[in-house]
Amino acid sequence: MRPIVKYRLLFLAFAIVLFTIGVQLTPESLATTDDELRLSLIAIGYFGLIPLAYWYCIIKKGSQKWWKLIIILSTSSLVARLSFPADIADYFEFVAWLRYPIVGVLLIIEAYLVFTIIRGLLKVRKVKGDPRVSAVEVYADDEKALFIAFIVAGEPTNWYYAIPWFSRHHPAAISHIKLLSAKPWHLALMLIGCFTSCVASYMILVNWSELAAIIVSSIISLTLVMLVANYRISRRYSMYRIRNRLVVNNAIWGFMAIDINEIEAVAVNQVAKKVADDELSIGRGEQTNLTIRFKVPQWYFGGLGQLVEKLTVVHINVAEPEKVVAALTDIEQSEAA
């Protein structure tokens, strides 16, 4: 496991443990000095230790943006509002006041999703490749614009791959990465999980706000399109060449569009999965069988473009590594000629 992933899991475990202990030990009232001391320590954990851990594990080690601290601070405020004694919880009443702004924001998100879906469907009717590749090609020299363009390209990408007619002109795969998400039973389980989440979210929110329950469950239901796209990418389009780019799809969650001219070496080998920060291993199994080394670090868009980093080496477990080497060698020979 790569260090950056270990830090994410470490923070998640730390936050869950601290929130759980805090909720269990929170006094019902501040009748004694011990109750006040205990609540003070819990508040330090919620608003001091957990945000500090988030800053170190996610922002610093994961090279993420500072503004994301708002997410964990909001979570701590919500937990405090629901668990602290009434006279203290009132100070976090602003969380309850956010009900109507939240519903308003959800309505805006819903409208925007409808707009992006319609726009995405119109755009992908004639597109001949993954929209994310175009984002990388156009904004390769503008880091900030690239991140935004990649995220915006996400919705058209889902529809492009989910509906076979849209991707009928897609370049053929060079080889297939060995991914769990390429299995039909994995797709079935994910679809069942999505449906269950839709029903559960509605049941949880309906007493709080029926409108919010409908909006949230409908937003979750849209992931059905992404799950189908994820399956088709993993099964048919995990590694291919388009123009001067070698595209590597770690399902739909991870993406690389590698400039072929910036590949230093490609080799067939058996390598144990690496854990270095500037290297990445993709594919099932304890070992990989294909190593691609770059002259210039290449962007890897993880977490649907939310976790972005630069890599110098990628190790992949593919079905036919020799075909990948042969394809890239043919490209180099044709360019040399």
Side-chain angles (χ1 to χ4, degrees), residues 272-290:
K273 288 190 172 179
K274 299 289 184 177
V275 295
D277 280 336
D278 60 346
E279 298 185 18
L280 178 67
S281 296
I282 300 175
R284 298 183 66 194
E286 297 296 325
Q287 293 184 322
T288 58
N289 55 18
L290 181 72

Side-chain angles (χ1 to χ4, degrees), residues 99-100 103 202 204-214:
R99 174 188 300 183
Y100 299 107
V103 171
Y202 181 85
I204 291 171
L205 294 173
V206 67
N207 292 328
W208 182 69
S209 171
E210 186 174 1
L211 180 59
I214 294 172

Side-chain angles (χ1 to χ4, degrees), residues 36 55 62-63 80 147 183 226 236 243:
E36 294 177 357
W55 168 80
S63 301
F147 297 164
K183 305 294 183 181
M226 185 179 66
R236 301 187 60 184
R243 295 181 286 278

Side-chain angles (χ1 to χ4, degrees), residues 68-104:
K68 293 187 177 182
L69 271 172
I70 297 174
I71 299 173
I72 197 62
L73 289 172
S74 300
T75 303
S76 295
S77 298
L78 178 60
V79 174
R81 173 67 181 84
L82 297 176
S83 62
F84 278 15
D87 51 343
I88 300 298
D90 288 342
Y91 289 103
F92 298 93
E93 186 63 25
F94 67 88
V95 176
W97 295 343
L98 292 176
R99 174 188 300 183
Y100 299 107
I102 287 174
V103 171

Side-chain angles (χ1 to χ4, degrees), residues 23-276:
V23 171
Q24 295 297 322
L25 297 181
T26 297
E28 295 183 2
S29 63
L30 300 180
T32 66
T33 303
D34 289 341
D35 290 339
E36 294 177 357
L37 177 59
R38 193 194 314 171
L39 188 63
S40 298
L41 293 176
I42 292 172
I44 291 173
Y46 286 0
F47 298 99
L49 297 180
I50 291 179
L52 183 62
Y54 187 90
W55 168 80
Y56 183 77
C57 296
I58 306 299
I59 295 177
K60 183 178 180 180
K61 292 297 184 179
S63 301
Q64 300 302 304
K65 303 299 183 182
W66 276 89
W67 65 264
K68 293 187 177 182
L69 271 172
I70 297 174
I71 299 173
I72 197 62
L73 289 172
S74 300
T75 303
S76 295
S77 298
L78 178 60
V79 174
R81 173 67 181 84
L82 297 176
S83 62
F84 278 15
D87 51 343
I88 300 298
D90 288 342
Y91 289 103
F92 298 93
E93 186 63 25
F94 67 88
V95 176
W97 295 343
L98 292 176
R99 174 188 300 183
Y100 299 107
I102 287 174
V103 171
V105 170
L106 289 174
L107 283 172
I108 294 173
I109 293 174
E110 184 85 351
Y112 177 74
L113 284 175
V114 172
F115 169 73
T116 55
I117 288 171
I118 295 174
R119 183 184 63 180
L121 288 172
L122 292 174
K123 282 187 175 182
V124 299
R125 288 182 306 163
K126 298 180 180 180
V127 72
K128 295 185 179 180
D130 192 325
R132 297 172 298 177
V133 178
S134 299
V136 173
E137 291 176 333
V138 174
Y139 299 103
D141 298 326
D142 189 339
E143 182 176 321
K144 185 175 294 185
L146 173 60
F147 297 164
I148 296 173
F150 186 89
I151 294 173
V152 171
E155 187 63 33
T157 299
N158 291 338
W159 290 97
Y160 175 75
Y161 283 109
I163 300 177
W165 187 78
F166 287 158
S167 50
R168 66 193 185 280
H169 298 304
H170 196 286
I174 299 176
S175 184
H176 301 290
I177 302 174
K178 296 180 180 179
L179 297 169
L180 185 64
S181 52
K183 305 294 183 181
W185 61 263
H186 182 271
L187 174 63
L189 288 177
M190 296 300 289
L191 293 177
I192 292 172
C194 180
F195 177 76
T196 303
S197 298
C198 289
V199 175
S201 65
Y202 181 85
M203 297 300 294
I204 291 171
L205 294 173
V206 67
N207 292 328
W208 182 69
S209 171
E210 186 174 1
L211 180 59
I214 294 172
I215 294 173
V216 171
S217 59
S218 64
I219 291 175
I220 294 176
S221 69
L222 286 174
T223 59
L224 290 169
V225 178
M226 185 179 66
L227 292 176
V228 175
N230 180 58
Y231 169 73
R232 296 193 69 243
I233 287 175
S234 300
R235 192 168 183 86
R236 301 187 60 184
Y237 308 117
S238 55
M239 180 176 283
Y240 63 92
R241 179 201 173 193
I242 181 169
R243 295 181 286 278
N244 67 327
R245 300 272 175 177
L246 174 67
V247 177
V248 176
N249 280 312
N250 187 8
I252 202 170
W253 310 100
F255 171 88
M256 295 186 77
I258 304 163
D259 189 333
I260 292 175
N261 297 321
E262 295 177 351
I263 295 177
E264 180 180 343
V266 55
V268 176
N269 51 22
Q270 294 291 328
V271 179
K273 288 190 172 179
K274 299 289 184 177
V275 295

